[in-house]
Amino acid sequence: MTAPSGRSARARRAVAGAPAGAVPRAELKVVETRVYRGPNYWNYDPAIKLVVDLGVLEHFPTSTIPGFVTALLEMLPGVGQHTCGTGKVGGFKARLRDGTWVGHVAEHIALQLQREAGNEVGRGKTRGTGEPGRYHVVYAYGEESVGLAAGKLAVRLVNHLVEAEPGFDFGAELEALILLSERTAFGPSTQAILDEALLRDIPFIRLNDQSLIQLGHGIHQKRIRATMTSETGSLGVDIAGDKKLTNRLLAATGVPVPRAQLVRSEDDAVNAARRIGTPVAVKPLDGNHGRGVMLNLADEEAVRAGYRAARSQSRRGAVVVESFLVGNDYRCLVIGDVLAAVAQRVPAHVNGDGKHSVGELVGITNADPRRGIGHEKALTRIKLDDEAIGYAREQGFELSDVPPRGHRVYLKRTGNMSTGGISIDRTEEAHPDNVELAELAARVVGLDIAGIDLICPDIGVPVRETGGGIVEVNAAPGFRMHTHPTEGESQYVAKPVIDMLFPPGADARIPIVAVTGSNGKTTTARMIAHVMKSMGRKVGLTSTDGIYVDGRIVRRSDASGPRSASMVLQNPTVDFAVFEVARGGILREGLGYQRNDVAVVLNVTGDHLGLGGINSIRQLAEVKRVPVEAVPRDGVAVLNADDPLVVAMARHCSGSVIYFSMDPENEKIKFQASRGRRAVTLESGRNGEMIVLRQGRKSMSLVWTHLIPATFEGRARMNVQNALAATAAAWAAGAHLHDIRQGLRTFTTSYFMAPGRLNMFELDGYRVVVDYAHNPPALRALGEFVNRLTTPSAGGARAPVTGRRIGVIATAGDRRDEDIVELGRTAANYFDEIIVREDENNRGRPRGDTATLIEQGVRSAEPEHSRAGSVTTVLDELEATRMALDIAGEGDVVVVCVDHANQVWKELQRRQHGGASEADGLRAVVGVMGADDEIDMDL
């Protein structure tokens, strides 16, 4: 937790700059809230960011607000112990007294509130937004809803300390936060498994707000719900849920069990008890957690009452009456057919001290900090319900009676932890015969994780000698009594569960390649996915076009954010993932995963500046750097050696680096070779340019650039660069050179493989290029490509462009005015006739405003460089496209910078087939498509 130094001097300046007559007011408010679920711009770990406005409090640091510091430390003393970047306990207390800003205080309070609720979090930072009085307050969270609630409560508390809020009860609010944490937290069994998974570097995804968890990614995933796993057989669960059937199956294999009979009425229960012989136990046929289990019933009245209690907990309306076994209650935990732990369960009770009543002793017992509500703590509080009162009365005690010192009064008949019982670890004491018996019971029922309830005098002596037997076999048994026994050593029972689901050496992760940059992300990601698919991998791809699994579209949308990545990682067929990672997704939610094996950064240009608090290209580079920071030690960052901002990211990579460059003389490429490291570059020869892989002195030729269809015989330099990046990424991911070569030579920028990415059409003697170019660097690269189309191709395979260059251009409305104007200037340098349009969603700008700025840029271009003869504004995309196509003639080239590529493609198909329907046009194209082509259109 850090804050700028020099607080005291700055505090004095702030007070001096306060408006005349200003006094502290409760004006701290939250302007914006962001939840980052993975590595992000602010932090590697999940974090919450609040943009707060201090109002008049910008002029009043904590040292100038009367009573603020004292009251805060009294209400929340733990916050004063924070180090706050000083390296010393209590560092934040010193900052409070020297004077710090209330936004910074809110950060520390939010962290401490989460700690009070049981979430161990510790990282945070507060930074200015660049606007006076506004700050980014960033803090870690353990559970999302608790973290958000802590942030809101922190702001309320700060305002309350400045000006008392009527009716604000901090104690009650804190208690509500703790209860929220208890409701949303994982239970002890689930948490134990997740802790072990994290130790094994196994990722997990929470699939609902309960305990359904996915362990691992893609094809390697397993699922758990509490202690039930995706390997748990439903038949075994059904058998365990039928206590009579379980009893019969165990008896058939020679396992000692009590005599039992199924009944459906009180009279039948009484008759069964007579036949079996009293005392008896009565339990619901399909109960759990000890609910409705009544033990040691010795007379008719007790049996009838026991039947009613058991019947109320039975979903099937049936009750089991069985002989009551005398002895201690042991829970044997069997995992993967092997006994993992044994715990003796002691029913909820109090021990008399000769001073306090039974009711008072229960209160003292429940005050133990280890006891809580439900399963969130090691022990559960004892509940004084009718059953507890009645059972104490059977032992001769009312709640107001004082038991003698040393006398134990039981309050529950069963030893379940969920009803307030305690546990004593007996794992090392279990006799081998009893161990074998428990393992056999689990096999008979058919459970991978089973809780075997064994009643016998001593677990250290064979049951067949002392008497006793197995009374229940439970599916999804709780781990709490084993991981947090009241007495004895904790048993690490989660380890065998993880070993069973992921045997040593088994994979839990799938390779992840993340591609980011200002331009070229989608094409590069598609190239990489195509190479890996050609190798037989089931590739999950996310991009601005949508989500693809094994080449088939799953969802059509802008899917370059973290939620889309999570969808791919949840798909059980995917064994390789390629994610296009956009700036917006990183700023909104961070990455959708904790790490990527390969991070590709193509370039950083001044696009999107002024959005999301990113106002400089250096800040933008820091955003693009996030995937590089998420590379592990055994991972690889693929960086553009021709871009200094990208090169600088290497120092933030924990793994190795592969540089790629269009220039074989690039100093970084030479440096890599001198150190024996990997690089990808171009080498010129008589037949053109060759992509070359270098590792130290070793050089491996891959493919001529003019043989890569996506480069249009080497003319599309941006795709040459993208091919270099894709080559490096595939190399880093373990692809063989032959596979990379084959992938590049079969990847095209046809509409079917890369819609809206340099798609070229031949139409009535002129050419049409469709591309998503939307910023000056992208448009400049597109213009250079058009320039190269004027030169003859090798062997005369493609006729050069000899006519006019017509451009249909636009950009997003949320760009800065100067960037929009620059787009117009850039267009003027490459196109003879320009038609300006606007996107359907102008992102907050008035209709026509973006087009006006672009047209202004076209007209302000330097005359010696401009070739624009005319500029026309047609706001509708389809109408602008039609106008460009109508004025085009033989030898011309029309460049359409699209927003909706699909509707432009349909128009081109309609014209190409002489006005035929879109479906007919599509069929004509499908007839000549390759087997690997993918149709991306709704008929």
Side-chain angles (χ1 to χ4, degrees):
M1 294 170 287
T2 59
S5 57
R7 286 299 194 187
S8 298
R10 189 178 166 204
R12 289 194 294 272
R13 290 195 300 272
V15 175
V23 295
R25 297 286 186 192
E27 294 184 356
L28 178 65
K29 63 180 180 181
V30 178
V31 177
E32 178 185 311
T33 302
R34 295 284 185 192
V35 178
Y36 301 109
R37 299 176 178 87
N40 55 81
Y41 177 64
W42 300 98
N43 200 343
Y44 182 78
D45 297 315
I48 291 172
K49 184 192 77 172
L50 307 178
V51 177
V52 299
D53 191 325
L54 273 56
V56 72
L57 292 175
E58 170 70 2
H59 303 289
F60 293 95
T62 53
S63 58
T64 66
I65 304 174
F68 183 96
V69 176
T70 301
L72 173 60
L73 295 178
E74 287 178 356
M75 297 175 76
L76 204 60
V79 79
Q81 301 302 305
H82 295 188
T83 59
C84 192
T86 65
K88 300 178 181 178
V89 174
F92 183 61
K93 184 189 295 185
R95 291 195 186 276
L96 285 169
R97 289 174 175 159
D98 288 343
T100 188
W101 269 252
V102 293
H104 183 215
V105 176
E107 168 213 324
H108 283 267
I109 292 177
L111 289 168
Q112 185 59 35
L113 288 173
Q114 291 183 81
R115 291 181 181 179
E116 299 288 331
N119 296 326
E120 288 302 318
V121 292
R123 289 183 175 274
K125 61 177 69 174
T126 300
R127 298 288 184 269
T129 65
E131 298 180 56
R134 289 201 171 188
Y135 294 84
H136 297 291
V137 175
V138 184
Y139 57 91
Y141 68 87
E143 205 290 320
E144 185 175 317
S145 61
V146 177
L148 289 169
K152 292 178 181 177
L153 181 55
V155 170
R156 283 189 69 189
L157 179 57
V158 168
N159 283 328
H160 175 71
L161 294 173
V162 175
E163 282 185 292
E165 176 187 332
F168 178 71
D169 184 343
F170 176 68
E173 295 291 340
L174 179 58
E175 182 67 20
L177 183 70
I178 293 172
L179 290 174
L180 173 64
S181 178
E182 291 175 350
R183 286 197 306 272
T184 58
F186 292 120
S189 301
T190 305
Q191 191 62 59
I193 295 174
L194 295 182
D195 289 344
E196 181 63 29
L198 292 176
L199 286 175
R200 288 269 300 272
D201 194 32
I202 297 172
F204 73 87
I205 301 173
R206 191 170 190 169
L207 300 177
N208 65 1
D209 57 1
Q210 302 300 317
S211 296
L212 183 60
I213 307 295
Q214 174 183 314
L215 297 173
H217 287 158
I219 197 171
H220 303 304
Q221 67 180 266
K222 304 289 185 181
R223 290 181 181 175
I224 63 168
R225 184 167 63 190
T227 62
M228 193 176 294
T229 79
S230 49
E231 307 301 304
T232 302
S234 60
L235 185 59
V237 175
D238 286 345
I239 293 172
D242 187 328
K243 301 188 188 307
K244 176 60 178 174
L245 178 59
T246 300
N247 181 281
R248 188 165 68 245
L249 291 176
L250 293 177
T253 56
V255 175
V257 294
R259 294 177 59 197
Q261 185 173 336
L262 185 68
V263 299
R264 296 184 181 274
S265 70
E266 284 187 29
D267 290 340
D268 287 346
V270 171
N271 291 332
R274 288 172 182 159
R275 282 193 295 272
I276 292 171
T278 57
V280 295
V282 176
K283 61 182 67 173
L285 175 67
D286 50 2
N288 53 40
H289 296 293
R291 299 185 186 97
V293 177
M294 307 300 289
L295 303 176
N296 198 16
L297 309 180
D299 55 45
E300 179 177 335
E301 182 180 351
V303 171
R304 290 183 181 276
Y307 173 85
R308 291 192 294 271
R311 175 66 178 77
S312 68
Q313 296 294 327
S314 175
R315 295 185 297 276
R316 303 184 195 177
V319 170
V320 175
V321 179
E322 63 184 29
S323 55
F324 176 66
L325 300 182
V326 178
N328 293 320
D329 180 1
Y330 297 98
R331 165 60 65 85
C332 305
L333 181 65
V334 178
I335 300 173
D337 297 332
V338 176
L339 184 77
V342 178
Q344 180 183 345
R345 299 186 296 182
V346 181
H349 64 275
V350 292
N351 293 315
D353 60 2
K355 299 178 182 178
H356 296 93
S357 67
V358 172
E360 291 170 338
L361 289 170
V362 170
I364 294 170
T365 301
N366 284 342
D368 186 337
R370 294 177 298 171
R371 290 189 181 267
I373 301 170
H375 292 273
E376 76 277 354
K377 291 189 176 181
L379 298 171
T380 300
R381 293 173 187 167
I382 300 172
K383 187 177 180 181
L384 284 176
D385 52 16
D386 291 342
E387 179 189 351
I389 295 170
Y391 194 36
R393 188 173 292 143
E394 288 181 24
Q395 298 167 71
F397 292 95
E398 299 293 338
L399 294 184
S400 57
D401 293 341
V402 177
R405 175 179 291 277
H407 186 86
R408 177 171 288 185
V409 179
Y410 288 97
L411 298 163
K412 295 291 179 182
R413 298 177 187 274
T414 61
N416 294 75
M417 300 288 288
S418 58
T419 57
I422 66 171
S423 65
I424 304 170
D425 180 63
R426 303 292 190 190
T427 304
E428 297 300 324
E429 301 171 25
H431 191 278
D433 286 357
N434 294 336
V435 170
E436 182 181 350
L437 204 62
E439 293 173 348
L440 175 60
R443 286 174 179 260
V444 168
V445 174
L447 291 173
D448 59 339
I449 302 177
I452 313 298
D453 292 343
L454 176 63
I455 304 295
C456 64
D458 187 351
I459 194 69
V461 180
V463 170
R464 289 187 172 92
E465 296 179 8
T466 62
I470 292 176
V471 295
E472 281 190 25
V473 176
N474 299 277
F479 286 178
R480 182 169 53 149
M481 69 186 76
H482 307 293
T483 59
H484 298 86
T486 314
E487 299 178 24
E489 293 188 5
S490 298
Q491 300 297 318
Y492 297 99
V493 295
K495 185 179 184 302
V497 175
I498 295 297
D499 287 341
M500 178 180 67
L501 296 175
F502 299 93
D507 290 324
R509 296 177 180 270
I510 61 173
I512 296 176
V513 178
V515 183
T516 191
S518 295
N519 295 307
K521 298 185 295 294
T522 303
T523 300
T524 304
R526 282 181 172 273
M527 281 183 176
I528 298 167
H530 182 73
V531 170
M532 303 314 295
K533 184 178 185 300
S534 300
M535 295 171 59
R537 306 300 293 265
K538 296 285 187 180
V539 181
L541 167 68
T542 67
S543 72
T544 49
D545 297 331
I547 303 173
Y548 295 79
V549 174
D550 198 29
R552 298 182 180 275
I553 190 159
V554 174
R555 176 172 294 181
R556 195 186 308 278
S557 64
D558 183 347
S560 57
R563 294 180 187 272
S564 303
S566 182
M567 284 185 64
V568 168
L569 296 176
Q570 290 181 49
N571 190 303
T573 66
V574 172
D575 62 10
F576 196 96
V578 181
F579 298 144
E580 178 182 340
V581 179
R583 167 210 61 89
I586 294 175
L587 290 175
R588 283 193 304 272
E589 299 181 68
L591 301 180
Y593 49 87
Q594 279 302 113
R595 74 186 198 203
N596 36 241
D597 302 274
V598 181
V600 182
V601 186
L602 300 171
N603 42 59
V604 180
T605 64
D607 195 17
H608 300 96
L609 295 181
L611 301 175
I614 304 302
N615 300 307
S616 71
I617 195 167
R618 191 162 297 279
Q619 286 180 309
L620 184 60
E622 292 174 358
V623 175
K624 302 288 186 184
R625 192 177 72 202
V626 170
V628 176
E629 295 172 339
V631 171
R633 291 186 180 276
D634 59 350
V636 181
V638 174
L639 303 179
N640 184 356
D642 298 327
D643 189 326
L645 290 172
V646 177
V647 170
M649 298 179 188
R651 68 174 67 100
H652 298 275
C653 178
S654 299
S656 58
V657 174
I658 299 178
Y659 287 106
F660 66 92
S661 172
M662 300 281 282
D663 178 11
E665 299 303 314
N666 183 287
E667 290 301 320
K668 274 294 175 184
I669 299 297
K670 292 181 177 180
F671 179 79
Q672 285 284 95
S674 69
R675 295 298 180 94
R677 299 169 186 166
R678 293 187 285 180
V680 179
T681 188
L682 298 175
E683 286 184 1
S684 298
R686 271 184 291 175
N687 296 323
E689 291 178 320
M690 173 71 73
I691 295 180
V692 175
L693 286 67
R694 293 180 179 174
Q695 186 165 15
R697 296 181 179 180
K698 186 178 179 181
S699 182
M700 297 163 282
S701 298
L702 185 70
V703 63
W704 296 106
T705 59
H706 66 269
L707 296 180
I708 302 174
T711 70
F712 292 89
E713 298 169 325
R715 292 189 177 97
R717 305 304 290 171
M718 62 287 220
N719 277 355
V720 172
Q721 186 179 68
N722 293 339
L724 293 174
T727 296
W731 191 16
H736 193 277
L737 267 61
H738 299 304
D739 296 310
I740 301 173
R741 181 183 298 114
Q742 179 65 16
L744 293 179
R745 292 193 62 171
T746 56
F747 178 82
T748 73
T749 59
S750 70
Y751 179 82
F752 308 106
M753 293 193 77
R757 267 75 191 184
L758 210 62
N759 310 142
M760 183 176 288
F761 302 82
E762 300 284 347
L763 191 65
D764 297 332
Y766 61 90
R767 293 178 193 160
V768 182
V769 178
V770 177
D771 195 81
Y772 276 119
H774 60 279
N775 58 50
L779 191 60
R780 189 174 299 115
L782 194 57
E784 293 296 334
F785 169 62
V786 173
N787 284 347
R788 292 188 182 91
L789 287 178
T790 62
T791 61
S793 63
R798 191 184 296 274
V801 172
T802 58
R804 296 169 302 166
R805 305 171 187 184
I806 303 168
V808 180
I809 64 171
T811 191
D814 57 0
R815 303 305 195 262
R816 300 179 304 177
D817 288 1
E818 56 265 40
D819 296 330
I820 298 175
V821 171
E822 180 60 26
L823 183 84
R825 290 198 192 99
T826 302
N829 295 336
Y830 294 100
F831 299 104
D832 302 304
E833 298 189 34
I834 297 173
I835 300 172
V836 181
R837 65 163 188 84
E838 283 189 347
D839 290 350
E840 184 178 347
N841 177 5
N842 219 23
R843 304 191 186 186
R845 281 189 185 267
R847 191 69 170 159
D849 190 35
T850 303
T852 299
L853 290 170
I854 293 175
E855 190 170 335
Q856 175 186 325
V858 173
R859 299 188 188 281
S860 65
E862 297 180 7
E864 61 270 25
H865 297 298
S866 176
R867 62 183 296 155
S870 68
V871 56
T872 307
T873 295
V874 179
L875 296 182
D876 181 75
E877 179 176 16
L878 191 54
E879 291 304 316
T881 301
R882 286 171 176 163
M883 179 180 179
L885 298 177
D886 288 342
I887 66 175
E890 188 170 348
D892 293 347
V893 61
V894 177
V895 174
V896 184
C897 297
V898 295
D899 182 29
H900 298 291
N902 195 39
Q903 67 177 11
V904 172
W905 185 83
K906 289 178 180 180
E907 175 65 18
L908 292 171
Q909 288 298 301
R910 186 184 68 81
R911 290 176 179 248
Q912 189 173 34
H913 297 281
S917 71
E918 293 162 4
D920 289 340
L922 178 60
R923 290 188 192 100
V925 175
V926 170
V928 296
M929 284 173 57
D932 292 333
D933 287 332
E934 187 71 28
I935 300 175
D936 211 16
M937 167 190 162
D938 295 324
L939 286 176

